[in-house]
Amino acid sequence: MGDWDSYCFLCAGPVSANTSLDVHQEEDEEEYPFHNPNIELTKDNLAWLDYYRVIGENPAAAGLRRCYLSGRGGDSMYGYAEVAKGVDPIAPGVNPDDKVDTGMYRDNDADDEVGALPVHDCCLRVLQRASLAGRLAGSGGFEADDEGFGFWLDGAAIEESDEDRDEHEEEQGNTIISNGSAERGLNIDAFFHAMSPKREEYRRSLTIDYGALNDVAEEQYFYLRKRNEMYVLNPYEIPQMESFVKALPLIDPSNNASRIVFESEHIGIRSSDPFSRLSLELLTIIYLHLPQEALTQAMVSSRSLSRVRTYNWFWQQRMRKDMPWAWEVLELKNDIDFHQAYIQVANLVKTPIHSTIPALANRKRVWFACEQVLELYRDYLIANPPPDIEFDTVSEAVRHGAKLERFSNVATAKDSSKNVATMWFSLSKEIIQSKKRLLMYWKDLSLTGLTFIAGTQRTSIGNTTGTDYSDGLSIEKDDWIQSLTFHIITDETKTGEKAQQVVRNSLVVGVTVKLLSGTETTLGQAEGDKRLFMPQQGKGVVGMRAELAGGIITRFGLLEFAYSGINQLQEIEDAALLAHLWAREVPPLTGIAFDKVTVGYWGMSRRQDLVPFSCLIFGTEQKELPGLPHLASLTGISGSHDARSWTIHRKVSDINFEESVGPEQLHSKMRFFAVDGSGGERIIGIETDIGPYITGVQLITNKQRQCIWGTTNNSKLQYHAEAGRYITGIFCSHGYHSAQTQMTTFSIITSPNPPFAPAQPLPDFEAMRDSHGLLWEPSPPPQYIIESSPTYHGTAA
């Protein structure tokens, strides 16, 4: 399988200078004899392409903010970038130098175009300039910024460390990201999600206008067309600009004609010139708002308008409007002749191939891309205003201390445009002690929105109008939400030629709300698989966050905060239970813990957290645990020949019970392995054979007996309980293949050893082989039996 390049989301250039920069010339294109000595694609001139980062989303982040700016990126291959964690606490990893593999544009685990956005450091600095210029010039790019570009980082300023700067950055002395207030900076979560309408399946750039690089932005590999070489030159640091601005002419201080003086008098009345009746102030305003291409025509058509062009101040303002990317000129003092500066800068970018400063044309192109993404950000904020609850009703401590432990996928997005909304609850004493109401809304069987009502307070997220039906419950005084269980079904549709392709869409058809009082109410339907949302022990629900796409809620999470006095919450032993969607029912909350899952390298055919996990309990050593059988009742385990389906057999009071997971069509073709549970036989080790998915399983008991299902010739991964624990069961998911029948994940469930039970021995997988390395079932022959060489098809090995 071939590799591919990923491109900076602002400039569409490659995120590595090691990318081949071949210059292509079309067959029907004449050879271009001109050579511009200012365009040299040397290693030094292209080094800036190596300095990139990613803006991504960390699904495991615990705070309200989910998105981050990474440290420096390194090697990239097959759409993944190896990036340093950096100093942003939200980024994956522990230490700033930790390396993390991050999918760019596409997140293969999520099976969607929600991957990180790569961006060159220099392009990010251009974006910083563009956000400020948009506000000053009023050109509509970005109006909320105050003193420079920055992402809203919950009050933390993200700066580069000394080790993370190269020499030229140290000389600049500024940071890519600064400030931590909503008024000054960009909300990085909103910025990241604002780009979703411009993502396209399998594309390694956004679908914005990249100018001369529009064509290459859609290609698998980066290349340059002849005469486009200047579009890979550094757009931020252009050394030639220093000598250019020094050579600009100055205005004559004694020439008052060059200085604009606003007066109430008219320029003069001429019946043939309608503009002559307007004041100089109005004429200047008109001229400032004319499109750049109409300036010359206006100068010729009206003598009154042409008077304005003699004023230096006017050309300074026109440069801010038409050439905000020429900041070296705009930062000069007012004694520069801005009319001449305007003409000279315009000539520099008019024909870049002849320009003495060709990199300026690339800056202009990148600036235009920045204006587009800032417009997307502005539109996103307009479409997603802050929650309608007044912030002063939610204490500062709650807003800054609340955590979003999980933000899980609950439904399939039907379009790429995604919005994230937050709903806060004001848990004042008056509200807790009053009656409250929670409403939920559905359309086409999909959850679309929620509304919370308490007294005069009413707050909502999602779509609450134009729905098919709604359902709600009342929460009595001194009661509150303990947990939510989402009921999720999968709707299958066959498409394509001969209807051979199966499209699966997950829908939230109902939600069960459990209150602290123990009352449970199901809103909507109770069918399908289950996903549990529950705060940690001692914490209360203070808000909800939802992602909306195509009019439905596609992701959901609870905002948690530690409230004194909230100790009625049901304890959950392992928070990993909250990380998965569970088939049919949620496993018991106490008594068991879930090991880290193993995923085959083919991954899953859809989002990992929309693939249900199945739980198969062998049993526990403690009889008093609710919902968990005793291990003494275990009589055997059956598995299919390819290790995809499993059945547990147990006997309680002379009655046989069975529980199965995996494809039902294989349940009648199982191989049985007897386990003497009542005689103390316990499963102590499991080894999986893993390739593109789980293809084999080897099981070992404390009686030195084993059984093998499936293959034994791929990579091996062994499981056993940690010291002080024992294996209670397994859990797995089937998320690959058109019928979702291949086992894609596998792991074990464990429980703590009770005081009276002996510690489980560690499994010895090698002891289960004979002297030739062969596996035997149920156990190798006695050592006193001398084996001859193994034979295969009648031929001695």
Side-chain angles (χ1 to χ4, degrees), residues 522-567:
T522 297
L523 307 181
Q525 304 177 23
E527 303 175 13
D529 302 319
K530 318 299 179 188
R531 177 172 284 282
L532 178 66
F533 294 93
M534 182 177 178
Q536 299 180 61
Q537 178 72 9
K539 292 188 175 182
V541 179
V542 297
M544 299 176 182
R545 176 169 289 185
E547 177 190 84
L548 297 105
I552 66 173
I553 292 177
T554 54
R555 296 173 75 188
F556 184 84
L558 297 177
L559 297 172
E560 310 173 14
F561 184 74
Y563 269 102
S564 60
I566 296 184
N567 51 15

Side-chain angles (χ1 to χ4, degrees), residues 63-354:
L64 295 182
R65 183 164 63 87
R66 315 290 289 180
C67 296
Y68 63 89
L69 178 72
S70 78
R72 282 277 168 76
D75 294 336
S76 61
M77 183 173 290
Y78 296 114
Y80 279 84
E82 183 185 68
V83 299
K85 169 186 169 60
V87 295
D88 190 339
I90 301 301
V94 178
N95 301 310
D97 294 332
D98 288 351
K99 302 297 183 182
V100 181
D101 285 334
T102 304
M104 294 183 287
Y105 291 104
R106 182 172 181 82
D107 184 341
N108 290 325
D109 291 335
D111 192 32
D112 200 0
E113 271 40 56
V114 293
L117 299 172
V119 58
H120 296 117
D121 285 3
C122 290
C123 295
L124 196 56
R125 292 183 185 278
V126 175
L127 181 62
Q128 177 183 15
R129 293 270 188 173
S131 64
L132 177 60
R135 181 186 68 85
L136 291 177
S139 58
F142 176 58
E143 299 175 358
D145 207 351
D146 184 21
E147 294 180 6
F149 171 75
F151 290 121
W152 180 14
L153 297 178
D154 290 351
I158 299 302
E159 299 184 356
E160 299 168 286
S161 64
D162 291 337
E163 294 78 14
D164 204 25
R165 296 190 185 103
D166 56 23
E167 293 180 1
H168 68 269
E169 286 176 322
E170 290 176 353
E171 292 173 0
Q172 291 295 322
N174 54 11
T175 59
I176 291 178
I177 301 300
S178 63
N179 84 58
S181 66
E183 292 77 14
R184 291 179 58 189
L186 299 182
N187 183 316
I188 189 171
D189 286 66
F191 185 86
F192 182 80
H193 292 296
M195 301 303 112
S196 61
K198 296 300 181 179
R199 294 173 180 261
E200 193 173 273
E201 189 173 16
Y202 302 118
R203 179 171 170 137
R204 297 296 166 173
S205 63
L206 299 180
T207 57
I208 62 176
D209 186 355
Y210 291 112
L213 295 189
N214 273 335
D215 291 341
V216 72
E218 302 179 23
E219 297 295 332
Q220 181 176 0
Y221 301 107
F222 185 84
Y223 66 90
L224 283 172
R225 293 189 185 279
K226 196 71 174 176
R227 287 176 280 185
N228 279 350
E229 295 90 338
M230 71 290 299
Y231 297 119
V232 289
L233 297 178
N234 191 324
Y236 185 78
E237 294 180 354
I238 305 177
Q240 300 97 317
M241 288 298 291
E242 182 178 356
S243 57
F244 173 78
V245 296
K246 287 181 179 179
L248 288 174
L250 304 177
I251 58 173
D252 184 356
S254 62
N255 183 6
N256 292 327
S258 64
R259 303 184 183 279
I260 190 166
V261 178
F262 288 133
E263 301 171 349
S264 59
E265 300 177 0
H266 300 295
I267 291 177
I269 299 176
R270 295 181 180 84
S271 59
S272 60
D273 186 352
F275 294 103
S276 64
R277 297 179 179 273
L278 300 179
S279 67
L280 186 57
E281 294 95 326
L282 287 176
L283 290 174
T284 305
I285 292 172
I286 291 172
Y287 224 155
L288 283 175
H289 284 80
L290 285 176
Q292 186 178 11
E293 57 273 13
L295 285 179
T296 302
Q297 186 176 356
M299 292 176 187
V300 175
S301 63
S302 170
R303 184 177 179 183
S304 299
L305 281 176
S306 68
R307 286 276 312 269
V308 178
R309 66 175 181 168
T310 64
Y311 293 101
N312 202 47
W313 178 88
F314 165 76
W315 289 107
Q316 185 182 33
Q317 300 311 307
R318 280 303 314 197
M319 280 206 72
R320 291 191 184 280
K321 177 179 176 63
D322 301 334
M323 305 171 187
W325 32 267
W327 57 75
E328 293 92 342
V329 179
L330 293 171
E331 291 169 356
L332 295 174
K333 296 180 179 179
N334 294 337
D335 55 357
I336 293 297
D337 188 337
F338 280 100
H339 187 191
Q340 286 301 312
Y342 188 97
I343 295 172
Q344 291 186 36
V345 171
N347 288 334
L348 284 175
V349 297
K350 184 177 182 180
T351 312
I353 194 65
H354 292 145

